[in-house]
Every structure is written in structure tokens, then in C-alpha cells.
Amino acid sequence: MSTLQLGVLVSGNGSNLQAILDAIADSRLDAAVRLVVSNVPDVRALERAERAGVPSLTLCHREFSSRELYEQRLADVLDEAGVEWVALAGFMRILTSTFLRRFPDRVVNIHPALLPAFAGAHAQLQALNYGVKVAGCTVHFVDEGVDSGPIIAQRTVPVFDDDDEASLSGRILTEEHRAYVEVLQWIAEGRIHLAGGSEGSRARVVRQPP
Ligand code: GRF
């Protein structure tokens, strides 16, 4: 097992980034965050990186003339920082093959719903409006679709009759922090295997060697 060389992409609050940083500090996660990149300036996630002494930078997509040029630069800065795996943590941009082929099968995301239900924005509100009684989060590989890559792990939470978007989001977020750290540790241990099939790829977690 070797220390996971991680890049984390953010756009906002960064509580998942914080969960990752805390788990590394507590030796629950064998990883090093080599670089945090935000596409939005002055967000809380950048403050969290700074407080943890982790390198960070803002790479604003609006300053690039095309999506392709933005993604090339994004991949370059991560590469130069020694990043091997990329974790999206509230990163509000769709990534295309320009970026993904630079980190093949090494980009993961966390989504606040039980995929394939409620992909896209405001997933918790979509779930509430639908009237589901169980909600949750999903950690998955990133492909070119919207929240559509192979699922690695899911965690569930109950939905209560008096929930609103904020209360449900908070309950899901607590599970997100646990799920993301757990999956990243599995990756560090080399335990996630992607098997291709005619219907698409499936991710499975290999049992720990005895
Ligand atoms: C989380 O709900 C995550 O699932 C979604 O964006 C939110 C980011 O929260 N992709 P935070 O910035 O990690 O606090």
C-alpha cells in the first residue's frame, strides 16, 4: 500500500475536503493532498486548505477561452503537483475527456443522492419533491456523463416528514464525509477494481487480504 497522492477539486464550502484533511491528520486515511484547486475565488474550501497547510490555487474557468484549454491547464497543474488520483468535492463543473483521459479511471466524485436517482443539481431537493423515504449519497468514478460513472459506495439516511432541503442535506452530508474517506482509503489500499462489461463498467471492492 502506498500513500495516495490526491488532488481535490472544489467550488465552495469544502466540508468534504475538511473530512479528507481530518482523516489524513488522524491517520485514518493514508493520503497526501498535493493540491486543492477551486474554480471559484475566495471560497471557504480554500481557507480550509490554507489552514491545513495544503497547497491550493484558484483556476477560474471564465478566464479561459474554451473548456478544452481550461481542462488542459487543470490537468497540468495537478500533474505538476504530483497528483495521481483526483477527488471532486463539490466541484461544480462537468469534466470532459480532455481532462479525464489525463487521469484514466482515477477521478472520483461524491453526489448527495442514491444514484442513478436524482443526478445533477439540487439532488436533495429532487429527492424531497419526489417523496422518497430513503435518501443518501454515492461515491462514483467520473465519466463524461452527469453523475453517471460506476458506483463505488452508497450510504443511506431516512427522510422524515418534516424535512426541508437544509435538514435532509445536513443528514446526507454527515454520511458523505464518512463514505468519501472510506472509499479513498480503499483506493489507497488498491482495493477498488473496475470490471468492464457489455452493459458498462462495474466497480467492486476487493476484500482486505487476511
Ligand atoms: C456535497 O453535497 C457533495 O455531495 C456535492 O456538493 C456538496 C459539496 O459540499 N457534490 P462541500 O463543499 O464538500 O461542503
Side-chain angles (χ1 to χ4, degrees), residues 33-96:
V33 177
R34 302 296 295 254
L35 186 64
V36 173
V37 184
S38 174
N39 66 321
V40 181
D42 303 322
V43 291
R44 178 123 188 257
L46 290 168
E47 286 170 29
R48 295 177 192 270
E50 194 177 343
R51 212 180 322 126
V54 161
S56 64
L57 61 86
T58 302
L59 208 56
C60 190
H61 55 278
R62 290 203 188 84
E63 286 163 15
F64 289 76
S65 56
S66 71
R67 188 180 280 272
E68 197 173 6
L69 285 174
Y70 177 69
E71 291 193 8
Q72 276 167 6
R73 182 83 189 114
L74 187 58
D76 285 346
V77 294
L78 292 165
D79 232 3
E80 285 157 17
V83 166
E84 289 171 358
W85 279 76
V86 180
L88 311 187
F91 184 65
M92 300 301 282
R93 298 283 300 166
I94 303 292
L95 292 168
T96 70

CSV table of all heavy atoms in Angstrom, one decimal, residues 33-96:
chain,number,residue,atom,x,y,z
A,33,VAL,N,-2.8,15.3,0.4
A,33,VAL,CA,-3.4,16.2,-0.6
A,33,VAL,C,-2.3,17.1,-1.2
A,33,VAL,O,-1.8,18.0,-0.5
A,33,VAL,CB,-4.5,17.1,0.1
A,33,VAL,CG1,-5.1,18.0,-0.9
A,33,VAL,CG2,-5.6,16.2,0.7
A,34,ARG,N,-2.0,16.8,-2.4
A,34,ARG,CA,-0.9,17.5,-3.1
A,34,ARG,C,-1.3,18.9,-3.6
A,34,ARG,O,-0.5,19.8,-3.6
A,34,ARG,CB,-0.3,16.7,-4.3
A,34,ARG,CG,0.1,15.3,-3.9
A,34,ARG,CD,1.3,15.4,-2.9
A,34,ARG,NE,2.5,15.9,-3.5
A,34,ARG,CZ,3.6,15.2,-3.9
A,34,ARG,NH1,3.6,13.9,-3.7
A,34,ARG,NH2,4.6,15.8,-4.5
A,35,LEU,N,-2.6,19.0,-3.9
A,35,LEU,CA,-3.1,20.3,-4.4
A,35,LEU,C,-4.6,20.4,-4.3
A,35,LEU,O,-5.3,19.4,-4.6
A,35,LEU,CB,-2.7,20.5,-5.9
A,35,LEU,CG,-3.0,21.9,-6.5
A,35,LEU,CD1,-2.2,23.0,-5.8
A,35,LEU,CD2,-2.7,21.9,-8.0
A,36,VAL,N,-5.1,21.5,-3.9
A,36,VAL,CA,-6.6,21.8,-3.9
A,36,VAL,C,-6.8,22.9,-5.0
A,36,VAL,O,-6.1,23.9,-4.9
A,36,VAL,CB,-7.1,22.3,-2.5
A,36,VAL,CG1,-8.5,22.8,-2.6
A,36,VAL,CG2,-7.0,21.2,-1.5
A,37,VAL,N,-7.7,22.6,-5.9
A,37,VAL,CA,-8.0,23.6,-6.9
A,37,VAL,C,-9.4,24.0,-6.8
A,37,VAL,O,-10.3,23.2,-6.8
A,37,VAL,CB,-7.6,23.1,-8.3
A,37,VAL,CG1,-7.9,24.3,-9.4
A,37,VAL,CG2,-6.2,22.6,-8.4
A,38,SER,N,-9.7,25.3,-6.8
A,38,SER,CA,-11.1,25.8,-6.9
A,38,SER,C,-11.3,26.6,-8.2
A,38,SER,O,-10.4,27.3,-8.6
A,38,SER,CB,-11.3,26.8,-5.7
A,38,SER,OG,-12.6,27.4,-5.8
A,39,ASN,N,-12.4,26.4,-8.7
A,39,ASN,CA,-12.7,27.2,-10.0
A,39,ASN,C,-13.4,28.5,-9.6
A,39,ASN,O,-13.7,29.3,-10.4
A,39,ASN,CB,-13.6,26.4,-10.9
A,39,ASN,CG,-15.0,26.2,-10.4
A,39,ASN,OD1,-15.1,25.9,-9.2
A,39,ASN,ND2,-16.0,26.3,-11.3
A,40,VAL,N,-13.7,28.7,-8.3
A,40,VAL,CA,-14.3,29.9,-7.8
A,40,VAL,C,-13.4,30.6,-6.7
A,40,VAL,O,-12.9,29.9,-5.9
A,40,VAL,CB,-15.7,29.6,-7.1
A,40,VAL,CG1,-16.4,30.9,-6.6
A,40,VAL,CG2,-16.6,28.8,-8.0
A,41,PRO,N,-13.1,31.9,-6.9
A,41,PRO,CA,-12.2,32.5,-5.9
A,41,PRO,C,-12.8,32.7,-4.5
A,41,PRO,O,-14.0,32.8,-4.4
A,41,PRO,CB,-11.9,33.9,-6.6
A,41,PRO,CG,-13.0,34.1,-7.6
A,41,PRO,CD,-13.6,32.8,-7.9
A,42,ASP,N,-11.9,32.8,-3.5
A,42,ASP,CA,-12.3,33.2,-2.2
A,42,ASP,C,-13.3,32.3,-1.5
A,42,ASP,O,-14.1,32.8,-0.7
A,42,ASP,CB,-12.8,34.6,-2.1
A,42,ASP,CG,-11.8,35.6,-2.7
A,42,ASP,OD1,-10.6,35.4,-2.5
A,42,ASP,OD2,-12.2,36.5,-3.4
A,43,VAL,N,-13.4,31.0,-1.8
A,43,VAL,CA,-14.4,30.1,-1.2
A,43,VAL,C,-13.8,29.6,0.1
A,43,VAL,O,-12.6,29.6,0.3
A,43,VAL,CB,-14.8,29.0,-2.1
A,43,VAL,CG1,-15.6,29.5,-3.3
A,43,VAL,CG2,-13.6,28.2,-2.6
A,44,ARG,N,-14.7,29.1,0.9
A,44,ARG,CA,-14.3,28.5,2.3
A,44,ARG,C,-13.3,27.4,2.1
A,44,ARG,O,-12.4,27.2,2.9
A,44,ARG,CB,-15.6,28.1,3.0
A,44,ARG,CG,-15.3,27.5,4.3
A,44,ARG,CD,-16.0,28.3,5.4
A,44,ARG,NE,-15.6,27.8,6.7
A,44,ARG,CZ,-16.4,27.0,7.5
A,44,ARG,NH1,-17.6,26.6,7.1
A,44,ARG,NH2,-15.9,26.5,8.6
A,45,ALA,N,-13.5,26.6,1.1
A,45,ALA,CA,-12.6,25.4,0.9
A,45,ALA,C,-11.2,25.8,0.8
A,45,ALA,O,-10.3,25.1,1.3
A,45,ALA,CB,-13.1,24.7,-0.4
A,46,LEU,N,-10.9,27.0,0.2
A,46,LEU,CA,-9.5,27.4,0.0
A,46,LEU,C,-9.0,27.8,1.4
A,46,LEU,O,-7.8,27.6,1.7
A,46,LEU,CB,-9.5,28.6,-0.9
A,46,LEU,CG,-9.7,28.3,-2.4
A,46,LEU,CD1,-9.9,29.5,-3.2
A,46,LEU,CD2,-8.6,27.5,-3.0
A,47,GLU,N,-9.8,28.4,2.2
A,47,GLU,CA,-9.4,28.7,3.6
A,47,GLU,C,-9.0,27.4,4.4
A,47,GLU,O,-8.1,27.4,5.1
A,47,GLU,CB,-10.5,29.4,4.4
A,47,GLU,CG,-10.7,30.9,4.0
A,47,GLU,CD,-12.0,31.4,4.7
A,47,GLU,OE1,-12.4,30.9,5.8
A,47,GLU,OE2,-12.7,32.2,4.1
A,48,ARG,N,-9.9,26.4,4.2
A,48,ARG,CA,-9.6,25.1,4.9
A,48,ARG,C,-8.3,24.6,4.4
A,48,ARG,O,-7.5,24.0,5.3
A,48,ARG,CB,-10.7,24.2,4.5
A,48,ARG,CG,-12.1,24.6,5.1
A,48,ARG,CD,-13.1,23.5,4.6
A,48,ARG,NE,-14.5,23.8,4.8
A,48,ARG,CZ,-15.2,23.6,5.9
A,48,ARG,NH1,-14.7,23.0,6.9
A,48,ARG,NH2,-16.5,23.9,5.9
A,49,ALA,N,-8.0,24.6,3.1
A,49,ALA,CA,-6.7,24.1,2.6
A,49,ALA,C,-5.5,24.9,3.2
A,49,ALA,O,-4.6,24.3,3.7
A,49,ALA,CB,-6.7,24.2,1.1
A,50,GLU,N,-5.7,26.2,3.3
A,50,GLU,CA,-4.6,27.0,3.8
A,50,GLU,C,-4.4,26.7,5.3
A,50,GLU,O,-3.2,26.5,5.7
A,50,GLU,CB,-5.0,28.5,3.6
A,50,GLU,CG,-3.8,29.4,3.9
A,50,GLU,CD,-4.1,30.9,3.6
A,50,GLU,OE1,-5.2,31.1,3.0
A,50,GLU,OE2,-3.4,31.7,4.1
A,51,ARG,N,-5.5,26.6,6.0
A,51,ARG,CA,-5.3,26.3,7.5
A,51,ARG,C,-4.6,24.9,7.7
A,51,ARG,O,-3.9,24.7,8.7
A,51,ARG,CB,-6.7,26.3,8.1
A,51,ARG,CG,-6.6,26.7,9.6
A,51,ARG,CD,-8.0,26.8,10.3
A,51,ARG,NE,-9.1,27.2,9.5
A,51,ARG,CZ,-10.2,26.5,9.3
A,51,ARG,NH1,-10.4,25.3,9.9
A,51,ARG,NH2,-11.2,27.0,8.5
A,52,ALA,N,-4.8,24.0,6.8
A,52,ALA,CA,-4.2,22.7,6.9
A,52,ALA,C,-2.8,22.7,6.3
A,52,ALA,O,-2.1,21.6,6.3
A,52,ALA,CB,-5.1,21.6,6.2
A,53,GLY,N,-2.4,23.8,5.8
A,53,GLY,CA,-1.0,23.8,5.2
A,53,GLY,C,-0.9,23.1,3.9
A,53,GLY,O,0.2,22.6,3.5
A,54,VAL,N,-2.0,23.0,3.2
A,54,VAL,CA,-2.0,22.3,1.9
A,54,VAL,C,-2.0,23.3,0.7
A,54,VAL,O,-2.7,24.3,0.8
A,54,VAL,CB,-3.3,21.4,1.9
A,54,VAL,CG1,-3.6,21.0,0.5
A,54,VAL,CG2,-3.2,20.2,2.8
A,55,PRO,N,-1.2,23.0,-0.3
A,55,PRO,CA,-1.1,23.9,-1.4
A,55,PRO,C,-2.5,24.1,-2.1
A,55,PRO,O,-3.2,23.1,-2.3
A,55,PRO,CB,-0.1,23.3,-2.4
A,55,PRO,CG,0.6,22.3,-1.6
A,55,PRO,CD,-0.3,21.9,-0.5
A,56,SER,N,-2.8,25.3,-2.5
A,56,SER,CA,-4.1,25.5,-3.2
A,56,SER,C,-4.0,26.6,-4.2
A,56,SER,O,-3.1,27.4,-4.1
A,56,SER,CB,-5.2,25.8,-2.2
A,56,SER,OG,-4.9,27.0,-1.6
A,57,LEU,N,-4.9,26.6,-5.2
A,57,LEU,CA,-4.9,27.7,-6.1
A,57,LEU,C,-6.3,27.8,-6.7
A,57,LEU,O,-7.1,26.8,-6.7
A,57,LEU,CB,-3.8,27.5,-7.2
A,57,LEU,CG,-3.8,26.3,-8.1
A,57,LEU,CD1,-4.8,26.6,-9.3
A,57,LEU,CD2,-2.4,26.1,-8.6
A,58,THR,N,-6.6,29.0,-7.2
A,58,THR,CA,-7.8,29.2,-7.9
A,58,THR,C,-7.6,29.2,-9.4
A,58,THR,O,-6.7,29.9,-9.9
A,58,THR,CB,-8.4,30.6,-7.5
A,58,THR,OG1,-8.6,30.6,-6.1
A,58,THR,CG2,-9.8,30.8,-8.2
A,59,LEU,N,-8.3,28.4,-10.1
A,59,LEU,CA,-8.2,28.4,-11.6
A,59,LEU,C,-9.6,28.6,-12.1
A,59,LEU,O,-10.5,27.7,-12.1
A,59,LEU,CB,-7.7,27.0,-12.0
A,59,LEU,CG,-6.9,26.9,-13.3
A,59,LEU,CD1,-5.7,27.8,-13.3
A,59,LEU,CD2,-6.5,25.4,-13.5
A,60,CYS,N,-9.9,29.9,-12.5
A,60,CYS,CA,-11.2,30.3,-12.8
A,60,CYS,C,-11.5,30.0,-14.3
A,60,CYS,O,-10.8,30.5,-15.2
A,60,CYS,CB,-11.4,31.8,-12.5
A,60,CYS,SG,-13.0,32.3,-12.6
A,61,HIS,N,-12.6,29.2,-14.5
A,61,HIS,CA,-12.8,28.7,-15.9
A,61,HIS,C,-13.2,29.9,-16.8
A,61,HIS,O,-13.0,29.9,-18.0
A,61,HIS,CB,-14.0,27.7,-15.9
A,61,HIS,CG,-15.2,28.2,-15.2
A,61,HIS,ND1,-15.4,28.1,-13.8
A,61,HIS,CD2,-16.3,28.7,-15.7
A,61,HIS,CE1,-16.6,28.6,-13.5
A,61,HIS,NE2,-17.2,29.0,-14.6
A,62,ARG,N,-13.7,31.0,-16.2
A,62,ARG,CA,-14.1,32.1,-17.0
A,62,ARG,C,-12.9,32.8,-17.6
A,62,ARG,O,-13.0,33.6,-18.6
A,62,ARG,CB,-14.8,33.2,-16.2
A,62,ARG,CG,-16.2,32.7,-15.8
A,62,ARG,CD,-17.1,33.8,-15.4
A,62,ARG,NE,-18.4,33.2,-14.9
A,62,ARG,CZ,-18.5,32.9,-13.6
A,62,ARG,NH1,-17.5,33.1,-12.7
A,62,ARG,NH2,-19.6,32.4,-13.1
A,63,GLU,N,-11.7,32.6,-17.1
A,63,GLU,CA,-10.5,33.2,-17.7
A,63,GLU,C,-9.9,32.4,-18.8
A,63,GLU,O,-8.8,32.8,-19.3
A,63,GLU,CB,-9.5,33.4,-16.6
A,63,GLU,CG,-9.9,34.5,-15.6
A,63,GLU,CD,-9.1,34.5,-14.3
A,63,GLU,OE1,-8.1,33.8,-14.2
A,63,GLU,OE2,-9.6,35.2,-13.4
A,64,PHE,N,-10.6,31.4,-19.3
A,64,PHE,CA,-10.1,30.6,-20.4
A,64,PHE,C,-11.0,30.7,-21.6
A,64,PHE,O,-12.3,30.8,-21.4
A,64,PHE,CB,-9.9,29.1,-19.9
A,64,PHE,CG,-8.8,28.9,-19.0
A,64,PHE,CD1,-8.9,29.3,-17.6
A,64,PHE,CD2,-7.6,28.4,-19.4
A,64,PHE,CE1,-7.9,29.1,-16.7
A,64,PHE,CE2,-6.5,28.2,-18.5
A,64,PHE,CZ,-6.7,28.6,-17.2
A,65,SER,N,-10.5,30.7,-22.8
A,65,SER,CA,-11.3,31.0,-23.9
A,65,SER,C,-12.1,29.7,-24.3
A,65,SER,O,-13.1,29.8,-25.1
A,65,SER,CB,-10.5,31.4,-25.1
A,65,SER,OG,-9.5,30.5,-25.4
A,66,SER,N,-11.7,28.5,-23.8
A,66,SER,CA,-12.5,27.3,-24.2
A,66,SER,C,-12.4,26.4,-23.0
A,66,SER,O,-11.5,26.4,-22.2
A,66,SER,CB,-12.0,26.7,-25.4
A,66,SER,OG,-10.7,26.1,-25.1
A,67,ARG,N,-13.4,25.5,-23.0
A,67,ARG,CA,-13.5,24.4,-21.9
A,67,ARG,C,-12.2,23.5,-22.1
A,67,ARG,O,-11.6,23.1,-21.1
A,67,ARG,CB,-14.7,23.6,-22.2
A,67,ARG,CG,-15.0,22.6,-21.1
A,67,ARG,CD,-16.3,21.8,-21.4
A,67,ARG,NE,-17.5,22.5,-21.1
A,67,ARG,CZ,-18.1,22.5,-19.9
A,67,ARG,NH1,-17.6,21.8,-18.9
A,67,ARG,NH2,-19.2,23.2,-19.7
A,68,GLU,N,-11.8,23.3,-23.3
A,68,GLU,CA,-10.6,22.4,-23.5
A,68,GLU,C,-9.4,23.0,-22.9
A,68,GLU,O,-8.6,22.3,-22.2
A,68,GLU,CB,-10.5,22.2,-25.0
A,68,GLU,CG,-9.6,21.1,-25.4
A,68,GLU,CD,-9.6,20.7,-26.8
A,68,GLU,OE1,-10.1,21.5,-27.6
A,68,GLU,OE2,-8.9,19.7,-27.2
A,69,LEU,N,-9.2,24.3,-23.2
A,69,LEU,CA,-8.0,25.0,-22.6
A,69,LEU,C,-8.0,25.0,-21.1
A,69,LEU,O,-7.0,24.8,-20.4
A,69,LEU,CB,-7.8,26.4,-23.2
A,69,LEU,CG,-7.4,26.5,-24.6
A,69,LEU,CD1,-7.4,28.0,-25.1
A,69,LEU,CD2,-6.0,25.9,-24.8
A,70,TYR,N,-9.2,25.2,-20.5
A,70,TYR,CA,-9.3,25.2,-19.1
A,70,TYR,C,-8.9,23.8,-18.5
A,70,TYR,O,-8.1,23.7,-17.6
A,70,TYR,CB,-10.7,25.5,-18.7
A,70,TYR,CG,-10.9,25.4,-17.2
A,70,TYR,CD1,-10.3,26.4,-16.3
A,70,TYR,CD2,-11.7,24.4,-16.6
A,70,TYR,CE1,-10.5,26.3,-15.0
A,70,TYR,CE2,-11.8,24.3,-15.2
A,70,TYR,CZ,-11.2,25.3,-14.4
A,70,TYR,OH,-11.4,25.2,-13.0
A,71,GLU,N,-9.5,22.8,-19.1
A,71,GLU,CA,-9.2,21.4,-18.6
A,71,GLU,C,-7.8,21.0,-18.8
A,71,GLU,O,-7.2,20.3,-18.0
A,71,GLU,CB,-10.2,20.4,-19.3
A,71,GLU,CG,-11.6,20.7,-18.9
A,71,GLU,CD,-12.6,19.5,-19.2
A,71,GLU,OE1,-12.1,18.5,-19.7
A,71,GLU,OE2,-13.8,19.7,-19.0
A,72,GLN,N,-7.2,21.4,-19.9
A,72,GLN,CA,-5.8,21.1,-20.1
A,72,GLN,C,-4.9,21.7,-19.0
A,72,GLN,O,-4.0,21.1,-18.4
A,72,GLN,CB,-5.3,21.7,-21.4
A,72,GLN,CG,-5.6,20.7,-22.6
A,72,GLN,CD,-5.4,21.3,-24.0
A,72,GLN,OE1,-4.9,22.5,-24.1
A,72,GLN,NE2,-5.7,20.6,-25.0
A,73,ARG,N,-5.2,23.0,-18.7
A,73,ARG,CA,-4.5,23.7,-17.6
A,73,ARG,C,-4.7,23.0,-16.3
A,73,ARG,O,-3.8,22.8,-15.5
A,73,ARG,CB,-4.8,25.2,-17.6
A,73,ARG,CG,-4.1,26.0,-16.6
A,73,ARG,CD,-2.7,26.4,-17.1
A,73,ARG,NE,-2.0,27.1,-16.0
A,73,ARG,CZ,-0.8,26.6,-15.5
A,73,ARG,NH1,-0.3,25.4,-16.0
A,73,ARG,NH2,-0.2,27.2,-14.6
A,74,LEU,N,-5.9,22.7,-16.0
A,74,LEU,CA,-6.3,22.0,-14.8
A,74,LEU,C,-5.5,20.7,-14.6
A,74,LEU,O,-4.9,20.4,-13.6
A,74,LEU,CB,-7.8,21.7,-14.8
A,74,LEU,CG,-8.5,21.2,-13.5
A,74,LEU,CD1,-8.3,22.1,-12.3
A,74,LEU,CD2,-10.0,21.0,-13.7
A,75,ALA,N,-5.5,19.9,-15.7
A,75,ALA,CA,-4.7,18.6,-15.6
A,75,ALA,C,-3.2,18.9,-15.4
A,75,ALA,O,-2.6,18.2,-14.7
A,75,ALA,CB,-5.0,17.8,-16.9
A,76,ASP,N,-2.7,20.0,-16.1
A,76,ASP,CA,-1.3,20.3,-16.0
A,76,ASP,C,-0.9,20.6,-14.6
A,76,ASP,O,0.1,20.1,-14.1
A,76,ASP,CB,-1.0,21.5,-16.9
A,76,ASP,CG,-0.9,21.1,-18.4
A,76,ASP,OD1,-0.9,19.9,-18.7
A,76,ASP,OD2,-0.9,22.0,-19.2
A,77,VAL,N,-1.7,21.5,-13.9
A,77,VAL,CA,-1.3,21.9,-12.5
A,77,VAL,C,-1.4,20.7,-11.6
A,77,VAL,O,-0.5,20.6,-10.7
A,77,VAL,CB,-2.1,23.1,-12.0
A,77,VAL,CG1,-1.9,24.4,-12.8
A,77,VAL,CG2,-3.6,22.8,-11.9
A,78,LEU,N,-2.3,19.8,-11.8
A,78,LEU,CA,-2.4,18.6,-10.9
A,78,LEU,C,-1.3,17.7,-11.1
A,78,LEU,O,-0.6,17.2,-10.2
A,78,LEU,CB,-3.8,17.9,-11.1
A,78,LEU,CG,-5.0,18.7,-10.7
A,78,LEU,CD1,-6.3,18.1,-11.3
A,78,LEU,CD2,-5.1,18.7,-9.2
A,79,ASP,N,-1.0,17.5,-12.4
A,79,ASP,CA,0.2,16.7,-12.8
A,79,ASP,C,1.5,17.2,-12.2
A,79,ASP,O,2.2,16.5,-11.6
A,79,ASP,CB,0.3,16.8,-14.3
A,79,ASP,CG,0.4,15.4,-15.0
A,79,ASP,OD1,0.3,14.4,-14.2
A,79,ASP,OD2,0.5,15.3,-16.2
A,80,GLU,N,1.7,18.5,-12.4
A,80,GLU,CA,2.9,19.1,-11.9
A,80,GLU,C,3.0,19.0,-10.3
A,80,GLU,O,4.1,19.0,-9.8
A,80,GLU,CB,3.0,20.6,-12.3
A,80,GLU,CG,3.3,20.8,-13.8
A,80,GLU,CD,2.9,22.1,-14.3
A,80,GLU,OE1,2.6,23.0,-13.5
A,80,GLU,OE2,2.8,22.2,-15.6
A,81,ALA,N,1.9,19.0,-9.7
A,81,ALA,CA,1.9,18.8,-8.2
A,81,ALA,C,2.1,17.4,-7.8
A,81,ALA,O,2.1,17.1,-6.6
A,81,ALA,CB,0.6,19.4,-7.6
A,82,GLY,N,2.2,16.5,-8.7
A,82,GLY,CA,2.4,15.1,-8.3
A,82,GLY,C,1.1,14.3,-8.0
A,82,GLY,O,1.2,13.3,-7.3
A,83,VAL,N,0.0,14.8,-8.5
A,83,VAL,CA,-1.3,14.2,-8.2
A,83,VAL,C,-1.5,12.9,-9.0
A,83,VAL,O,-1.2,12.9,-10.2
A,83,VAL,CB,-2.5,15.2,-8.4
A,83,VAL,CG1,-3.8,14.5,-8.5
A,83,VAL,CG2,-2.4,16.3,-7.4
A,84,GLU,N,-2.0,11.9,-8.4
A,84,GLU,CA,-2.2,10.6,-9.1
A,84,GLU,C,-3.7,10.3,-9.2
A,84,GLU,O,-4.2,9.7,-10.1
A,84,GLU,CB,-1.5,9.4,-8.4
A,84,GLU,CG,0.0,9.6,-8.6
A,84,GLU,CD,0.8,8.6,-7.8
A,84,GLU,OE1,0.2,7.8,-7.0
A,84,GLU,OE2,2.0,8.6,-7.9
A,85,TRP,N,-4.5,10.7,-8.1
A,85,TRP,CA,-5.9,10.5,-8.1
A,85,TRP,C,-6.6,11.8,-7.8
A,85,TRP,O,-6.0,12.6,-7.1
A,85,TRP,CB,-6.3,9.5,-7.0
A,85,TRP,CG,-6.2,8.1,-7.4
A,85,TRP,CD1,-5.0,7.4,-7.5
A,85,TRP,CD2,-7.2,7.2,-7.8
A,85,TRP,NE1,-5.3,6.1,-7.8
A,85,TRP,CE2,-6.6,5.9,-8.0
A,85,TRP,CE3,-8.6,7.3,-7.9
A,85,TRP,CZ2,-7.3,4.8,-8.5
A,85,TRP,CZ3,-9.3,6.2,-8.3
A,85,TRP,CH2,-8.7,4.9,-8.6
A,86,VAL,N,-7.8,12.0,-8.4
A,86,VAL,CA,-8.5,13.3,-8.3
A,86,VAL,C,-9.8,13.1,-7.6
A,86,VAL,O,-10.6,12.2,-8.1
A,86,VAL,CB,-8.7,14.0,-9.7
A,86,VAL,CG1,-9.4,15.3,-9.5
A,86,VAL,CG2,-7.3,14.2,-10.4
A,87,ALA,N,-10.1,13.8,-6.6
A,87,ALA,CA,-11.4,13.7,-5.9
A,87,ALA,C,-12.2,15.0,-6.1
A,87,ALA,O,-11.7,16.1,-5.8
A,87,ALA,CB,-11.2,13.5,-4.4
A,88,LEU,N,-13.3,14.9,-6.7
A,88,LEU,CA,-14.2,16.1,-6.8
A,88,LEU,C,-15.0,16.2,-5.5
A,88,LEU,O,-15.6,15.2,-5.1
A,88,LEU,CB,-15.1,15.9,-8.0
A,88,LEU,CG,-14.5,15.5,-9.4
A,88,LEU,CD1,-15.6,15.6,-10.5
A,88,LEU,CD2,-13.3,16.3,-9.7
A,89,ALA,N,-14.9,17.4,-4.9
A,89,ALA,CA,-15.6,17.6,-3.7
A,89,ALA,C,-16.4,18.9,-3.7
A,89,ALA,O,-16.0,19.9,-3.3
A,89,ALA,CB,-14.6,17.6,-2.5
A,90,GLY,N,-17.6,18.8,-4.4
A,90,GLY,CA,-18.4,20.0,-4.6
A,90,GLY,C,-17.9,20.8,-5.7
A,90,GLY,O,-18.1,22.0,-5.7
A,91,PHE,N,-17.3,20.2,-6.7
A,91,PHE,CA,-16.7,20.9,-7.9
A,91,PHE,C,-17.8,21.0,-8.9
A,91,PHE,O,-18.3,20.0,-9.4
A,91,PHE,CB,-15.5,20.1,-8.4
A,91,PHE,CG,-14.8,20.8,-9.6
A,91,PHE,CD1,-14.2,22.0,-9.4
A,91,PHE,CD2,-14.8,20.2,-10.8
A,91,PHE,CE1,-13.5,22.6,-10.4
A,91,PHE,CE2,-14.2,20.9,-11.9
A,91,PHE,CZ,-13.5,22.1,-11.7
A,92,MET,N,-18.2,22.3,-9.2
A,92,MET,CA,-19.5,22.5,-9.9
A,92,MET,C,-19.2,22.7,-11.4
A,92,MET,O,-19.8,23.6,-12.1
A,92,MET,CB,-20.2,23.7,-9.4
A,92,MET,CG,-20.6,23.6,-7.9
A,92,MET,SD,-21.7,22.2,-7.6
A,92,MET,CE,-23.2,22.8,-8.3
A,93,ARG,N,-18.3,21.8,-12.0
A,93,ARG,CA,-18.1,21.9,-13.4
A,93,ARG,C,-18.1,20.4,-14.0
A,93,ARG,O,-17.7,19.5,-13.3
A,93,ARG,CB,-16.7,22.4,-13.7
A,93,ARG,CG,-16.4,23.8,-13.3
A,93,ARG,CD,-17.0,24.8,-14.2
A,93,ARG,NE,-16.5,24.8,-15.6
A,93,ARG,CZ,-17.1,25.4,-16.6
A,93,ARG,NH1,-18.2,26.1,-16.3
A,93,ARG,NH2,-16.6,25.4,-17.8
A,94,ILE,N,-18.7,20.3,-15.2
A,94,ILE,CA,-18.6,19.0,-15.8
A,94,ILE,C,-17.3,18.8,-16.5
A,94,ILE,O,-16.8,19.8,-17.1
A,94,ILE,CB,-19.7,18.9,-17.0
A,94,ILE,CG1,-21.1,19.2,-16.4
A,94,ILE,CG2,-19.7,17.6,-17.7
A,94,ILE,CD1,-21.7,18.2,-15.5
A,95,LEU,N,-16.7,17.7,-16.3
A,95,LEU,CA,-15.4,17.4,-16.9
A,95,LEU,C,-15.5,16.6,-18.2
A,95,LEU,O,-16.3,15.6,-18.2
A,95,LEU,CB,-14.4,16.7,-15.9
A,95,LEU,CG,-14.0,17.6,-14.7
A,95,LEU,CD1,-13.4,16.7,-13.7
A,95,LEU,CD2,-13.1,18.7,-15.2
A,96,THR,N,-14.8,16.9,-19.2
A,96,THR,CA,-14.9,16.1,-20.5
A,96,THR,C,-13.6,15.2,-20.6
A,96,THR,O,-12.7,15.2,-19.7
A,96,THR,CB,-15.0,17.1,-21.7
A,96,THR,OG1,-13.7,17.7,-21.8
A,96,THR,CG2,-16.0,18.1,-21.5
